[in-house]
Amino acid sequence: MNQSNSAELDNPLNEIFLDIPNVTEPHRALNNAADAVRIARNFECSQVTPSRKFDPDLKVHALELQEKIRSASGQAIDQVLAQNGYGKGVSCRFRVHSSHRVSIKSTVDSGKSFTAIIHMILTREGALAAQGLIRSKVQQMYPNASVTKNWNQPLPPWAIRNVNTRVIGLGAPFDSIKVKRGATLNDLHAASKTAVEKSQGVATTFKPEVLLSDTHLIVNGVPFAISKNKSGGKEYSCVRVNTSKLQEALVKR
């Protein structure tokens, strides 16, 4: 997730787990993003010393430290083996597998900023707001945290549990949202926007007959060609659909 200024051998989610808010509150729908900001602030469990701005060189330092630890560990293993009569180098009777990874420890504020994004998405204003606006408001709440820009990364299990419990307490229209494993912030934002638009009569629900083959996606008998795209050295299938033509197909029975 986000990164702070201290590099050490640690689970980067340790501190994030400590910052999960009481998901049973509030038991009402939030009216706007400003309301979400106020609610998110009320969830703060304790005051923490503001962290320094993230140092981009920390990743380089972490890799250097990781290599030093790996080298020192290898020397220590050779010494222990030799002292116990197992030889060393090619003459050693054992093969020892050891690995060390140095990552940058997340700050308390990083976990809170991630949770605040989720809370803001689950508001009427946040659901309809652009991603950049949501990030900007959360950055104002936690100026010392690095607010995530990657909304395509799968949500951690604790966040999924948080969302599924929270939406029940928020009531309509958010109680129709169900987040499954592998869902992302983008998925949550899209689901929240759809729920709000549906409650406003903007979104329309269809129950079409959909068929999928190797070459076509067929909606109520209307075919849409499947094409091949290449990205990052990988090939994947996709369907490019004109919105008006898709709507025509959806209403056709």
Side-chain angles (χ1 to χ4, degrees):
M1 191 180 288
N2 299 317
Q3 300 175 330
S4 74
N5 284 336
S6 57
E8 60 181 75
L9 291 171
D10 204 342
N11 183 344
L13 292 180
N14 281 350
E15 291 195 25
I16 295 175
F17 275 97
L18 297 177
D19 298 309
I20 301 174
N22 183 348
V23 296
T24 62
E25 295 291 341
H27 294 289
R28 61 183 179 81
L30 303 180
N31 294 322
N32 50 46
D35 198 6
V37 171
R38 180 180 63 78
I39 293 299
R41 287 192 182 279
N42 290 339
F43 280 123
E44 294 185 8
C45 300
S46 61
Q47 295 295 324
V48 296
T49 303
S51 60
R52 293 171 294 175
K53 289 292 185 180
F54 174 68
D55 181 358
D57 292 332
L58 272 183
K59 187 171 183 179
V60 175
H61 298 327
L63 293 175
E64 292 175 348
L65 179 59
Q66 179 174 289
E67 185 57 38
K68 290 178 181 178
I69 291 175
R70 181 180 292 122
S71 176
S73 175
Q75 295 174 14
I77 290 172
D78 288 342
Q79 184 178 2
V80 170
L81 290 172
Q83 288 175 347
N84 286 272
Y86 298 118
K88 60 181 180 178
V90 294
S91 62
C92 180
R93 297 170 59 189
F94 293 105
R95 178 180 288 108
V96 179
H97 300 277
S98 178
S99 64
H100 301 279
R101 184 174 67 89
V102 177
S103 59
I104 303 173
K105 188 178 180 181
S106 297
T107 64
V108 174
D109 278 358
S110 293
K112 290 181 179 179
S113 69
F114 192 83
T115 301
I117 289 177
I118 293 175
H119 289 181
M120 196 169 294
I121 286 175
L122 295 174
T123 65
R124 291 181 180 274
E125 183 177 341
L128 302 178
Q131 183 184 124
L133 177 62
I134 295 175
R135 289 202 313 267
S136 176
K137 286 185 174 293
V138 172
Q139 189 71 74
Q140 292 175 18
M141 294 168 58
Y142 302 100
N144 295 311
S146 179
V147 179
T148 181
K149 294 182 179 179
N150 184 2
W151 284 36
N152 289 316
Q153 182 177 351
L155 293 170
W158 67 263
I160 294 177
R161 292 193 298 269
N162 183 295
V163 170
N164 288 334
T165 304
R166 182 175 178 80
V167 294
I168 296 174
L170 290 176
F174 302 104
D175 54 359
S176 63
I177 297 174
K178 179 66 175 178
V179 178
K180 298 182 179 180
R181 185 174 63 179
T184 66
L185 282 175
N186 268 332
D187 295 332
L188 177 61
H189 194 203
S192 182
K193 181 178 181 180
T194 300
V196 170
E197 289 182 340
K198 186 176 180 180
S199 70
Q200 296 174 340
V202 177
T204 307
T205 300
F206 298 94
K207 293 184 178 180
E209 181 184 66
V210 179
L211 300 176
L212 180 63
S213 70
D214 293 337
T215 58
H216 288 84
L217 174 70
I218 304 174
V219 181
N220 289 336
V222 179
F224 297 92
I226 295 176
S227 59
K228 297 290 185 179
N229 273 11
K230 289 185 178 181
S231 178
K234 296 182 180 180
E235 185 177 81
Y236 60 94
S237 302
C238 69
V239 179
R240 288 189 174 91
V241 181
N242 180 287
T243 304
S244 61
K245 290 184 178 180
L246 176 60
Q247 288 180 333
E248 291 176 3
L250 289 171
V251 298
K252 183 179 179 180
R253 296 298 294 179

